[in-house]
Amino acid sequence: MRITQVEAIPYSLPVARVARFASGSITRADLVLVRVCTDEGLVGRAEAQPRPYTYGETQASIVAAIRDWLSPALEGLDPLRIELAHERCAALEGNVVARGAVDLALWDLAGQILGRPCRELLGGYADDVAAAHMVSYGEPAAMAAEALEYRERFGIRTFKVKVGREVAVDVAACAAIRDAVPEAELYVDANRGWSVEQALRAGDELGELGILAIEEPIAIDDAAGRRRLAERWAVPLVGDESCISLAHTDRALNEGAVRMVSVKAARTGFTESRRIVALCEARNVGVIAGSQYEGAVGALATAALAPALAATARRAAEVMNYTDLADDVLAEPIEIRDGRIVPPDAPGLGIEIDEDKLAHYRVDEAPALV
Ligand code: MUC
Ligand code: MG
C-alpha cells in the first residue's frame, strides 16, 4: 500500500458557546480535516485546529503546508513507516499543528490497516479515561453554572479554569466553581496573561481554594520569573505553550520551573507526544493530556492517546470542548460515560465522517466530480 496524497479540507463549524481566554478567543471553529489517501482506498483522517495566537498557524497556512510540503513529502511512502514519515514531515520547520494532524491521520490509517484501535497500538494501558472540561472566561456565576452543568450532565469532576484576567475576577471565578461543585478537582490556565506580580498574588489566593496546578502563568520567555513562581508555589507550574515539541519540553524542564506538562496530540501527534511523555516520566514530571479546543474529530485523538499510556491515563484528559460547538462532522456521537470518555472500538481513531455535513461546512470549493 502506498500513500497517494494528503488532502487538507478547511471547514468552519458554528459554536454554541464562545471560548475566551487570555491569549485569544474562538467565535467560530475554523478547522482542517486531514485525509491521508492510499492506492488501496483506505483513508486516514484527523483534525487540525488553527491557533494563530499560539503557533502562528492559520487555517489557510495549514492547508498550504499540507498541500505544498507535507503531501509531496509523503507521496509514494508505505503508510506504516510512520517514523520515516515523521522524519520527512519534520523537515518542515514550525507548522506543528499541520504536522501533528498528519501524524494523527497516519496512525488512524495504521489502525485501519492492522484492524486495531489506536488506543491499543499506542500502548493499550486502559480502555477509557476520566474527562476534564475547560471553562473559559465569563462572569464567575456563569462559569460556576457551566461547571455544575457538566458535573450533572456528563459526570465531569475535573475542571481547568481559564484565568489570566484581573486576579480578583480569577479568584472569584474559581471560588464560585468551588462552591458549585465542592468535590471538583480544579486547576487553572492563565495562557501567559498575568504579570509576575499578579501571578504571585493569584498563586497565594488560589492556593487557598485547593487549586491543584497552574498552567502558563506569565510570558514564557521570562525564565527567571517562572522559576521564582515555581519556587514559591506548592503546586506545579504546568508547561503548555512552552512545551510545543520534544525539544521545547526538554528546554522547559531544564529551566527548572515546569513540574507538569500538557501534552497535546493536536500539536505533537502521537509519535512526538509519546516521546514527550517518556521524557517527562524520566524526569519524574507529571503529564496531562491537554486540549486545543478540539472539535469532535480532534477529541477522538486525545481520547485514543490519553488511556493508552500509564502516565496520561492517571489524570483527567481535556476532551470536552467539542461540546462548545453547535455542530460537528462526526456521524456517531462521542461516548461520555460517568465522566469518562470512551474511545470507539473501531480500527484507528474510529472517525466516521458525515459527508453531507462536511460538504455543508467546508469553506473551499469541493473538487468537481469526474
Ligand atoms: C490551553 O490549554 O491553553 C487555549 C487556546 C488553545 O488553542 O488551547 C487552549 C487551551
Ligand atoms: Mg494551556
Side-chain angles (χ1 to χ4, degrees):
M1 188 184 301
R2 300 281 152 189
I3 296 171
T4 52
Q5 183 186 17
V6 185
E7 296 175 349
I9 301 170
Y11 62 111
S12 291
L13 299 174
V15 298
R17 176 173 22 231
V18 172
R20 294 188 201 286
F21 40 91
S23 54
S25 62
I26 299 170
T27 54
R28 193 187 58 205
D30 293 332
L31 301 165
V32 179
L33 183 69
V34 176
R35 290 208 285 217
V36 178
C37 306
T38 63
D39 57 1
E40 295 191 21
L42 287 182
V43 178
R45 296 180 185 83
E47 173 196 283
Q49 309 86 28
R51 297 286 172 259
Y53 32 75
T54 310
Y55 311 105
E57 292 170 270
T58 64
Q59 193 179 39
S61 81
I62 290 171
V63 171
I66 291 171
R67 187 192 54 213
D68 299 340
W69 285 87
L70 303 176
S71 180
L74 299 185
E75 278 164 30
L77 195 66
D78 174 346
L80 287 178
R81 300 182 72 177
I82 291 182
E83 282 285 316
L84 179 55
H86 182 265
E87 182 183 82
R88 287 193 185 176
C89 291
L92 176 65
E93 273 301 323
N95 294 280
V96 291
V97 176
R99 290 194 279 122
V102 169
D103 184 74
L104 296 177
L106 281 166
W107 278 94
D108 178 43
L109 185 53
Q112 293 177 50
I113 294 168
L114 301 171
R116 311 295 296 209
C118 286
R119 171 181 47 81
E120 289 183 2
L121 298 182
L122 292 167
Y125 180 80
D127 292 336
D128 62 12
V129 68
H133 179 57
M134 193 154 60
V135 183
S136 53
Y137 286 177
E139 293 296 323
M143 293 170 73
E146 182 177 327
L148 188 57
E149 180 201 333
Y150 276 71
R151 176 77 184 88
E152 289 177 348
R153 192 166 143 211
F154 298 110
I156 303 296
R157 299 171 190 84
T158 304
F159 298 93
K160 176 157 103 175
V161 185
K162 286 298 191 182
V163 295
R165 297 186 275 185
E166 284 303 313
V167 173
V169 178
D170 292 333
V171 172
C174 292
I177 294 174
R178 170 61 74 222
D179 279 351
V181 195
E183 75 282 14
E185 289 189 344
L186 301 181
Y187 60 113
V188 299
D189 184 0
N191 286 113
R192 303 159 280 150
W194 286 323
S195 64
V196 175
E197 293 68 30
Q198 284 176 308
L200 286 167
R201 234 176 333 121
D204 289 350
E205 296 188 33
L206 292 172
E208 293 184 9
L209 293 170
I211 298 299
L212 296 174
I214 303 178
E215 191 165 314
E216 299 299 15
I218 62 169
I220 58 178
D221 288 339
D222 184 358
R226 282 155 63 82
R227 264 199 306 274
R228 192 171 154 208
L229 296 172
E231 276 159 19
R232 166 136 156 185
W233 290 343
V235 298
L237 187 156
V238 183
D240 176 6
E241 291 93 323
S242 57
C243 297
I244 65 169
S245 71
L246 177 64
H248 282 84
T249 308
D250 188 46
R251 278 198 290 275
L253 296 180
N254 285 341
E255 278 178 8
V258 168
R259 291 295 307 153
M260 191 173 277
V261 169
S262 181
V263 60
K264 298 187 176 178
R267 68 180 168 218
T268 38
F270 291 148
T271 302
E272 193 157 332
S273 290
R274 288 206 299 186
R275 295 177 190 174
I276 292 172
V277 171
L279 172 68
C280 292
E281 284 186 304
R283 305 273 189 100
N284 193 26
V285 163
V287 289
I288 297 172
S291 154
Q292 247 165 223
Y293 285 103
E294 289 81 11
V297 177
L300 287 181
T302 308
L305 177 68
L309 307 175
T312 44
R314 233 172 258 142
R315 291 187 180 80
E318 298 167 4
V319 286
M320 294 304 294
N321 289 91
Y322 73 92
T323 57
D324 290 340
L325 305 187
D327 203 359
D328 61 65
V329 296
L330 277 188
E332 293 294 326
I334 288 180
E335 191 181 343
I336 307 290
R337 203 190 296 151
D338 189 24
R340 304 180 73 79
I341 187 162
V342 185
D345 268 332
L349 290 170
I351 294 168
E352 215 187 303
I353 298 292
D354 180 327
E355 295 296 338
D356 290 336
K357 282 195 182 179
L358 180 63
H360 178 69
Y361 289 120
R362 67 189 289 173
V363 291
D364 61 346
E365 289 293 318
L369 294 173
V370 281

